[in-house]
Amino acid sequence: MNAPLKGIVAYPITPFTTSGRVDEALLGRIVDDMVKAGVHAIAPLGSTGVLPYLSDEEREQVAEVVIQRVAGRVPTLVGVSSLTTERTLHHARHAEKLGASAVMIIPMSYWKLSDAEIVGHFDAVARGISTPIAAYNNPATGGLDLSPDVISRLLEIPNVTMVKESTGDVNRMHRLVQLCGEDVAFYNGSNPLALAAFVAGARGWCTAAPHIIPKLNLELYEAIQRGDLAGARRSFYRQLPLLRFIVAHGLPRAITAALELMGTTVGPLRAPLRALPPEHVAELRQILVELEVLPGGRVS
């Protein structure tokens, strides 16, 4: 119960209507499709869900729609991060009230936080809720890099029980195991590192790719679970071009473009984000053709 996540943890986008409101109906359908495809957990309000671009009311709206739509079929991991400890705790309590299985916190700051400030931030939120907490390390988006030593201190806080590591450095994961033991519950958030992370002992893979290739994502995890490393390699290398693409071009942009190519009208991105440029859409289309997500031969 303290680490309720495993396997493929899917991160839905936050779709918008043409008037700029959260598209609750489409969000619900996206979540339904992911659950029906067999993912092991749903994680709204991550980077893909453009958490920092949403108002407090929109964040609560998204969390409520997703948790109600999931309806207990799989665990839910809700992003609750904010600049201040007070707002982070506010969103964590709201997610807990809705019935989230766990919450995820990435320390966000304008001023670079000290290690003591980071630990105090997590400790204050943890004291205010009983729901398990995942500490999220992604210096590329949060602007702060949680060292393995700091993470090990966070894991001493009773309900900080999971770590999502997104630096793209598998050595961080090995170091976590060295510091915290074989039972540390860590999850990979770097898409191109999925295979290496599972081999290093990751319990799950946090990814937006199930919008597009859920079968391949699940195939990789299942191959790892049965000890079929050769099969895992084949599955991973097949999906690697798409994984690299969505990371290189920004998850909200790339996932929105992919869904549009697949026939789902997602709506505008939240400004200042802009749609993927046409030349990159063409590149993405070719990747989806080669993955047999879209029909057709090679695109010129």
Side-chain angles (χ1 to χ4, degrees):
M1 293 298 293
N2 289 332
L5 307 177
K6 67 174 184 178
I8 304 302
V9 182
Y11 280 68
I13 63 166
T14 299
F16 298 100
T17 65
T18 53
S19 62
R21 298 176 181 271
V22 173
D23 190 335
E24 293 190 4
L26 180 54
L27 176 59
R29 291 200 299 274
I30 288 170
V31 167
D32 247 352
D33 287 345
M34 288 177 165
V35 174
K36 290 175 182 176
V39 302
H40 302 98
I42 299 289
L45 300 172
S47 302
T48 312
V50 294
L51 170 70
Y53 296 88
L54 303 178
S55 68
D56 281 1
E57 293 75 18
E58 288 172 328
R59 291 171 60 160
E60 294 178 2
Q61 180 185 9
V62 168
E64 185 170 349
V65 168
V66 171
I67 291 173
Q68 287 183 354
R69 195 61 171 252
V70 170
R73 291 176 288 173
V74 295
T76 49
L77 172 67
V78 177
V80 298
S81 310
S82 192
L83 274 172
T84 67
T85 301
E86 182 275 328
R87 282 290 89 184
T88 303
L89 178 55
H90 168 85
H91 291 298
R93 283 175 168 159
H94 180 259
E96 181 173 68
K97 183 178 179 181
L98 291 173
S101 307
V103 299
M104 183 174 70
I105 299 172
I106 182 172
M108 303 166 66
S109 85
Y110 180 84
W111 301 109
K112 182 177 173 59
L113 300 179
S114 68
D115 291 351
E117 288 168 333
I118 292 169
V119 173
H121 177 65
F122 276 87
D123 186 60
V125 177
R127 289 175 184 274
I129 62 172
S130 57
T131 301
I133 296 170
Y136 179 20
N137 185 34
N138 190 344
T141 56
L144 294 166
D145 190 359
L146 307 182
S147 69
D149 296 280
V150 168
I151 291 173
S152 69
R153 289 172 62 187
L154 295 179
L155 290 171
E156 294 174 2
I157 299 169
N159 51 330
V160 179
T161 58
M162 297 166 284
V163 179
K164 178 185 173 186
E165 174 58 60
S166 295
T167 58
D169 181 2
V170 72
N171 292 317
R172 294 292 189 98
M173 300 177 186
H174 293 307
R175 180 64 177 152
L176 273 176
V177 173
Q178 287 179 324
L179 285 172
C180 305
E182 293 285 340
D183 292 333
V184 62
F186 73 88
Y187 305 81
N188 172 51
S190 175
N191 284 291
L193 204 67
L195 177 61
F198 277 132
V199 172
R203 293 197 187 186
W205 173 18
C206 301
T207 178
H211 286 95
I212 309 163
I213 50 167
K215 290 182 180 179
L216 276 175
N217 303 146
L218 291 161
E219 179 182 278
L220 170 59
Y221 177 69
E222 290 161 2
I224 289 291
Q225 290 300 105
R226 64 175 183 267
D228 179 9
L229 189 54
R233 284 197 195 99
R234 286 193 299 271
S235 177
F236 174 69
Y237 288 126
R238 178 158 167 71
Q239 55 193 292
L240 184 56
L242 177 64
L243 302 180
R244 285 176 170 161
F245 182 94
I246 63 177
V247 171
H249 296 286
L251 294 169
R253 299 184 198 96
I255 295 300
T256 295
L259 289 175
E260 296 277 354
L261 287 169
M262 295 163 65
T264 297
T265 301
V266 176
L269 290 167
R270 176 62 57 88
L273 295 176
R274 294 187 176 186
L276 207 61
E279 63 272 20
H280 293 148
V281 174
E283 180 185 352
L284 176 58
R285 182 192 298 273
Q286 181 57 48
I287 292 172
L288 298 184
V289 167
E290 291 174 354
L291 284 169
E292 300 179 348
V293 172
L294 296 179
R298 178 165 290 278
V299 177
S300 60

